[in-house]
Amino acid sequence: MAQSHKPETIASLRAIPMFSGVSRDALESIASLLIERGFPKNKTIVEEGAPGDYMYIIVEGRVKVTKLSGDGREKILELLDVGDFFGEMSLFDEAPRSASVKAMAQVRILALARNDFLRLLSRSPDLALSVIQELTRRLRQVDEQASSLSFQRVKERTMGLLVRLAREEPGQEGRPRTPVLTHQQIADMIGTSRETVTRAVKGLKAEGWLEQDGKHYLVPPAD
Ligand code: CMP
């Protein structure tokens, strides 16, 4: 089960993108509302279909957002990292959790209760704007995925995904590098089978477009 830890410092809250424009006074009161929790690798933090009372901000580790398809397969909607938030949708519309969120490594998160979250948003336009900007980014990505699912072949979908994940990876120099990924995870993200991804990856390596470094993939530089 989740365990509680000490509250975050103001400096570490400031480093979270969602709080970057918030005043020091506001951060002090936000800090007192956040509850820190730890989850081991593979633990489900949010369960699709369950009611939602809290939203969460990641302070350590990485999570995957997944949804079960009609045939019972798990589709990965997104990988979220330190500084990212999740679990806000149910707080806005009071509908059940839209997806499951699972720890991909040891994870530490800050939990914020529904009423506190909604009150903070109504008092801080900067905070509300940064949440809206992130939701806009996610909607753009869903739009991209929807159009690539219908128009692009698996090879192009694999390339698009690897480029996006590599460019989103923080603190990199030189050739963009994805996080650790398995063929199965790539397949679950682009909506195909593991075998098809294995073939696409092999083809992309043979063409010289893709290289591998352990379990990371190296994609061509932006230009
Ligand atoms: P909620 O529906 O409360 O619980 C599941 C959470 O997964 C959801 O809030 C969002 O925070 C997150 N989520 C759902 N769909 C996506 C997506 N396409 N990209 C990123 N995060 C998502």
Side-chain angles (χ1 to χ4, degrees):
M1 207 27 226
Q3 2 160 311
S4 291
H5 297 269
K6 63 173 171 40
E8 293 296 292
T9 62
I10 300 301
S12 61
L13 287 185
R14 172 73 70 218
I16 296 171
M18 188 175 149
F19 296 135
S20 60
V22 174
S23 72
R24 199 194 150 82
D25 281 357
L27 274 187
E28 300 258 3
S29 49
I30 292 171
S32 65
L33 302 173
L34 297 167
I35 306 156
E36 193 174 314
R37 292 183 183 159
F39 290 85
K41 186 175 175 182
N42 296 330
K43 189 88 182 163
T44 299
I45 304 169
V46 158
E47 180 99 49
E48 183 178 352
D53 299 322
Y54 287 87
M55 62 85 70
Y56 305 96
I57 303 156
I58 306 171
V59 286
E60 183 190 321
R62 179 189 293 266
V63 302
K64 59 177 177 177
V65 182
T66 66
K67 201 165 170 63
L68 283 180
S69 60
D71 59 3
R73 288 204 317 172
E74 185 180 80
K75 166 104 170 70
I76 300 180
L77 300 180
E78 182 62 303
L79 305 178
L80 300 176
D81 243 306
V82 172
D84 289 329
F85 63 82
F86 60 90
E88 76 296 340
M89 287 170 60
S90 289
L91 306 194
F92 287 134
D93 64 6
E94 300 192 20
R97 295 294 194 190
S98 59
S100 293
V101 182
K102 295 175 189 168
M104 297 178 76
Q106 170 71 32
V107 162
R108 258 189 330 126
I109 52 177
L110 301 173
L112 187 56
R114 175 201 301 267
N115 289 344
D116 292 332
F117 179 54
L118 297 180
R119 199 172 323 114
L120 284 175
L121 290 179
S122 68
R123 286 187 190 161
S124 169
D126 286 324
L127 187 59
L129 188 60
S130 73
V131 170
I132 291 169
Q133 282 167 340
E134 173 60 14
L135 297 183
T136 303
R137 188 195 69 79
R138 290 181 190 175
L139 183 56
R140 275 186 191 280
Q141 200 176 292
V142 172
D143 290 349
E144 283 295 318
Q145 280 171 359
S147 78
S148 80
L149 260 184
S150 40
F151 299 126
Q152 291 178 356
R153 295 179 309 133
V154 166
K155 193 169 111 182
E156 282 78 31
R157 301 211 303 261
T158 306
M159 293 164 85
L161 175 75
L162 295 179
V163 164
R164 178 173 72 77
L165 292 179
R167 305 232 162 107
E168 280 175 7
E169 199 63 356
Q172 294 202 53
E173 281 157 28
R175 195 160 167 184
R177 202 174 89 135
T178 66
V180 169
L181 284 175
T182 64
H183 288 181
Q184 185 66 58
Q185 285 168 336
I186 296 172
D188 293 343
M189 279 187 266
I190 64 169
T192 187
S193 70
R194 182 179 53 77
E195 292 77 6
T196 312
V197 168
T198 301
R199 269 199 303 279
V201 164
K202 215 170 154 187
L204 290 169
K205 283 182 184 167
E207 289 167 23
W209 186 88
L210 190 65
E211 277 179 38
Q212 208 163 339
D213 173 11
K215 290 179 179 169
H216 302 267
Y217 293 96
L218 305 175
V219 303
D223 49 1

